[in-house]
Amino acid sequence: MEFMLGCNYWASNAGTEMWIDFDEAAIREDLAILSENGVEYLRVFPIWRDFQPVVKMYGWAGVFKEYRVNKDKLPDNPYYLDTDMMDRFDKFCDICREYNMKLIVGLITGWMSGRIFIPEALNDKNLFTDPVALMFEQKFIKGFVSRFKAKENIYAWNLGNECNCLSQIPLVDGVEPCDVSTNWTYIITNAIKAADSTRPVISGMASLGPDRTKTAWNLQEHAENLDIMTTHPYTLFHPHSSNDYFKSIRATLHGTAETRYYGDLSKKPCFVEEIGTLGNSLCNDETAADYMNVNLYSNWANGNMGLLWWCANEQNELKTPPYTWQMLEVELGMISADRKPKAYLKKMKDFSKFLKSLDFRLPSAIIDAVCIIPCGYEQWDSWGVAFSAYILAKQAKINIKFAYCNDELPDAETYILPCIARDYPTLKFYELRDKVKNGAVLYMSNNSAFIQGFKDFVGVEIVDSANTPETIEFNFKGVDYKVKTSRRYETRAAGAEVLSYDKVGNVVLSAHSYGKGKVYFLNAPLEKDKMDGFDAFSDSAYLIYDELLRACKKDHIVTSKNPYLCITNHWEKDDCYAVIINHSEEKQNLDLKVKDGYKMKKIYKGNEESVEPFDACVIKFKKG
């Protein structure tokens, strides 16, 4: 499908009160600016409180009598939906169609920007487990979706906005939190599909994890009954992502990496549903524009479905909560308070023009290796280790696919297992070991793991060890490295080729043949050590990946030694499209190395010499 370009939308005049204070003129003015600047998709939110204003009525001694709606009215439909609000949404859809806007509709929008918006009758209910809450959620969905499914410009239904923030999953003996969240997702998704089976159902969630014992919302199980997954990759709110400036490779790759992480682990398409730099208290508009631009090209090149900015308009004149509660929520728009497109909205316009100028649809990028996410980490540390590996691989021009260690292991010629820890599952290790035995290459770094048959598999013998932190210092290919670890080891070679010793003579980096394959072993948790340090990826650590795993790039038509350039190769029969993205604030020389037998055929963007800061070159190469 096309790459989705858009934003999350609240009307400029009212924000979250837009359905109560419905202003057709303001909406038209907003959409005119957005449509002129490349926005084609809007994620919109029928506030639950306003559209299903259920109240409880009581009689003698507080005995419950019946449900009604606002102002003690009897509902005029079995779903307790407000007719005026439904008519306003109907009108809104028609206005959006005039401006060629496709809509992603967040159905259970009871959480927004730090405030809960739920029907009064549900104020004391757990929204994931209470039967009354579940009843009204399903009524809302049936009534709303049935009414609007004929609207052609509704692209997809969304569960709602970050619904995992609606309630806390109650801790009940014998009940696993993930069972509750998965059950709720199935209930809501099935209700949507029962009312409309023609459109995709989209997650709308953020902050999911791969290990159901470490999170209440398991990423893989949440995705089972959904069609499309989503990410909300704000660096400020994500551990291990906000340690560097917005202009760093860590920050500019965050949205791409997390969206690939969610998509690969869920085995579902995924897109950036919310992203932003969160206003001028964190960076200026010029930096935000650079951040927007590099994210657009990076997500497009790496196979993600699209990008939606948060949000359309500044909300700095509004006098209602959540805008009066915290200043974080008021200066996030692509359109300024004086109704002008900001620099980063102009970047979306430029990117939209670029996409429309192409005479091809970008094929999927070559995948060079599978990165296995190890068990034994808390939710955010699993992400942190995976993210570090992703950055190092990108700097080494290796494009990876993620897999969780407890899930099915994809076939690959090359595997990356960063920071294997104590809880790695035995049977899954056997499976990986067999892949190596049959010819695969494995790079594995160690974070105090137990590895069955260690000496035979790795070719290194552990003489002794102690649970004492230390900094391992070693040199590889002329580069000095320092890696913090929580456990120190005495080691010696036992059949492996030693690639580097530490400063006291222990084997720290080795290569060992195992069956038809090879194991590269780093006895230090390099990726974990990179998670939190400032400017941690400006050194040459990526050269370890580049040197050890160079063979996995054999199908690349184009490569470069520049660590600030991320390159994807996209094959289409005998042609190869190369997307070269500069993740730095300096103009970078390309110094491209082109595979013998191929020549440049067409430049779609940029030139063959250099690439501007936070920008891209797109070049077609042909055999012959």
Side-chain angles (χ1 to χ4, degrees):
M1 65 166 290
E2 64 183 353
F3 188 82
M4 298 187 295
L5 290 175
C7 64
N8 294 263
Y9 180 75
W10 288 113
S12 56
N13 69 300
T16 55
E17 302 296 313
M18 69 172 283
W19 307 110
I20 294 172
D21 188 10
F22 190 74
D23 187 330
E24 182 177 336
I27 292 169
R28 288 184 179 278
E29 186 178 359
D30 295 342
L31 297 190
I33 297 172
L34 294 172
S35 64
E36 289 169 4
N37 286 277
V39 172
E40 298 176 350
Y41 287 81
L42 298 179
R43 180 171 172 236
V44 298
F45 311 96
I47 285 285
W48 191 7
R49 172 204 67 184
D50 301 336
F51 280 75
Q52 194 184 45
V54 186
V55 296
K56 296 178 75 172
M57 306 295 292
Y58 297 93
W60 173 84
V63 174
F64 170 71
K65 293 287 290 183
E66 63 178 339
Y67 294 106
R68 292 202 176 191
V69 293
N70 273 348
K71 299 182 180 178
D72 300 342
K73 293 180 182 178
L74 285 168
D76 59 7
N77 59 78
Y79 312 113
Y80 294 81
L81 294 170
D82 185 283
T83 302
D84 290 339
M85 296 298 163
M86 297 287 279
D87 290 343
R88 289 174 184 179
F89 193 85
D90 198 314
K91 180 64 176 177
F92 175 75
C93 290
D94 292 343
I95 296 171
C96 289
R97 187 176 181 183
E98 291 178 35
Y99 291 90
N100 297 313
M101 294 290 183
K102 303 178 187 72
L103 303 181
I104 297 169
V105 183
L107 292 169
I108 305 297
T109 300
W111 161 263
M112 179 58 59
S113 299
R115 182 182 171 186
I116 293 291
F117 294 87
I118 65 173
E120 180 184 318
L122 304 182
N123 277 342
D124 61 343
K125 309 295 186 184
N126 187 290
L127 302 176
F128 303 131
T129 60
D130 186 88
V132 174
L134 293 171
M135 176 185 71
F136 279 112
E137 288 164 22
Q138 292 174 88
K139 282 179 175 287
F140 180 99
I141 289 166
K142 183 173 182 179
F144 191 95
V145 173
S146 296
R147 165 76 181 269
F148 295 111
K149 67 182 180 180
K151 295 292 183 182
E152 294 179 0
N153 61 324
I154 293 179
Y155 164 70
W157 304 112
N158 187 282
L159 299 184
N161 181 56
E162 297 177 353
C163 290
N164 43 347
C165 296
L166 285 171
S167 294
Q168 290 185 333
I169 293 180
L171 297 177
V172 178
D173 288 344
V175 178
E176 297 297 327
C178 276
D179 294 342
V180 174
S181 62
T182 300
N183 185 57
W184 181 86
T185 302
Y186 263 92
I187 289 170
I188 300 304
T189 307
N190 285 336
I192 297 170
K193 292 184 175 182
D196 180 10
S197 62
T198 67
R199 289 181 175 85
V201 180
I202 294 176
S203 167
M205 298 285 197
S207 303
L208 310 176
D211 186 342
R212 71 179 343 263
T213 69
K214 305 289 186 180
T215 179
W217 292 83
N218 177 255
L219 193 161
Q220 299 94 313
E221 292 180 25
H222 175 72
E224 286 171 356
N225 205 32
L226 293 164
D227 300 302
I228 299 172
M229 293 294 286
T230 58
T231 58
H232 300 177
Y234 299 105
T235 62
L236 180 65
F237 303 136
H238 286 59
H240 317 306
S241 303
S242 61
N243 310 77
D244 294 338
Y245 291 128
F246 281 108
K247 294 181 177 182
S248 69
I249 193 168
R250 187 203 301 265
T252 56
L253 274 176
H254 174 202
T256 303
E258 188 176 341
T259 307
R260 290 297 346 129
Y261 180 82
Y262 274 47
D264 290 342
L265 296 190
S266 68
K267 299 180 177 63
K268 296 291 175 72
C270 190
F271 71 102
V272 180
E273 188 181 54
E274 296 181 18
I275 194 171
T277 51
L278 302 178
N280 294 148
S281 295
L282 297 184
C283 70
N284 63 20
D285 286 353
E286 181 182 359
T287 296
D290 288 337
Y291 184 78
M292 166 76 92
N293 199 56
V294 73
N295 266 280
L296 288 170
Y297 282 99
S298 183
N299 279 278
W300 172 70
N302 287 281
N304 297 329
M305 286 182 60
L307 183 146
L308 277 60
W309 192 264
W310 188 278
C311 56
N313 296 290
E314 300 285 65
Q315 317 286 7
N316 52 8
E317 298 296 327
L318 303 182
K319 308 301 182 186
T320 56
Y323 309 109
T324 58
W325 286 356
Q326 53 180 333
M327 288 183 280
L328 166 65
E329 297 294 340
V330 301
E331 292 183 327
L332 310 180
M334 304 168 78
I335 302 172
S336 66
D338 61 355
R339 315 302 295 136
K340 294 200 170 44
K342 289 190 173 184
Y344 39 95
L345 178 51
K346 294 177 182 179
K347 292 294 185 182
M348 185 169 282
K349 179 179 181 178
D350 293 343
F351 185 73
S352 176
K353 288 181 177 179
F354 161 74
L355 290 183
K356 286 179 171 59
S357 74
L358 299 178
D359 58 7
F360 67 94
R361 178 158 290 184
L362 190 69
S364 297
I366 295 171
I367 298 298
D368 305 308
V370 170
C371 179
I372 304 169
I373 302 164
C375 303
Y377 292 93
E378 296 301 321
Q379 174 179 331
W380 287 113
D381 286 349
S382 290
W383 153 248
V385 168
F387 187 28
S388 290
Y390 189 88
I391 297 170
L392 294 170
K394 278 293 187 184
Q395 290 180 303
K397 312 300 178 284
I398 297 169
N399 290 299
I400 63 174
K401 176 180 180 178
F402 290 112
Y404 188 57
C405 65
N406 263 322
D407 296 341
E408 180 181 358
L409 182 61
D411 287 331
E413 294 181 2
T414 304
Y415 295 94
I416 296 171
L417 177 50
C419 301
I420 180 173
R422 292 180 181 178
D423 296 340
Y424 203 87
T426 306
L427 294 181
K428 288 295 180 180
F429 175 71
Y430 293 166
E431 185 179 348
L432 176 60
R433 187 180 62 186
D434 288 344
K435 299 280 190 186
V436 176
K437 190 174 183 178
N438 290 326
V441 172
L442 169 67
Y443 159 84
M444 178 170 59
S445 59
N446 186 23
N447 186 30
S448 305
F450 286 87
I451 300 172
Q452 183 177 337
F454 182 94
K455 182 178 176 181
D456 179 54
F457 187 59
V458 174
V460 174
E461 182 179 8
I462 296 175
V463 179
D464 205 349
S465 64
N467 205 36
T468 303
E470 72 165 338
T471 297
I472 299 173
E473 298 182 35
F474 64 100
N475 182 283
F476 179 57
K477 297 292 183 178
V479 179
D480 291 325
Y481 296 93
K482 293 182 179 181
V483 181
K484 296 187 182 82
T485 182
S486 61
R487 188 170 187 86
R488 64 178 65 195
Y489 293 87
E490 289 184 13
T491 58
R492 63 187 176 204
E497 175 190 358
V498 179
L499 303 179
S500 182
Y501 293 95
D502 68 15
K503 65 178 182 179
V504 294
N506 294 303
V507 178
V508 68
L509 185 61
S510 58
H512 182 57
S513 295
Y514 184 80
K516 298 177 182 178
K518 180 165 283 190
V519 178
Y520 292 106
F521 181 67
L522 175 62
N523 196 25
L526 173 66
E527 296 80 8
K528 183 174 183 292
D529 189 48
K530 291 283 181 187
M531 289 195 316
D532 294 320
F534 174 73
D535 203 26
F537 295 93
S538 63
D539 62 8
S540 300
Y542 73 93
L543 291 174
I544 293 177
Y545 280 36
D546 181 55
E547 182 67 27
L548 301 183
L549 304 177
R550 188 165 295 173
C552 77
K553 297 182 282 183
K554 63 182 183 302
D555 293 327
H556 290 200
I557 297 302
V558 181
T559 190
S560 169
K561 293 183 178 181
N562 189 326
Y564 296 106
L565 301 181
C566 293
I567 301 177
T568 48
N569 288 253
H570 308 257
W571 281 95
E572 187 176 61
K573 297 182 179 179
D574 291 334
D575 297 335
C576 184
Y577 300 94
V579 183
I580 305 139
I581 302 173
N582 181 2
H583 286 264
S584 80
E585 57 184 318
E586 302 291 337
K587 184 177 181 178
Q588 299 290 333
N589 292 326
L590 293 183
D591 294 326
L592 296 180
K593 182 179 180 181
V594 181
K595 191 173 184 177
D596 289 344
Y598 287 81
K599 62 182 179 180
M600 190 179 304
K601 183 177 182 182
K602 185 175 181 179
I603 298 176
Y604 291 89
K605 179 175 172 57
N607 61 73
E608 58 186 296
E609 301 296 331
S610 62
V611 57
E612 296 298 317
F614 305 111
D615 208 352
C617 291
V618 181
I619 306 174
K620 182 178 182 178
F621 293 85
K622 189 171 184 66
K623 193 172 185 179

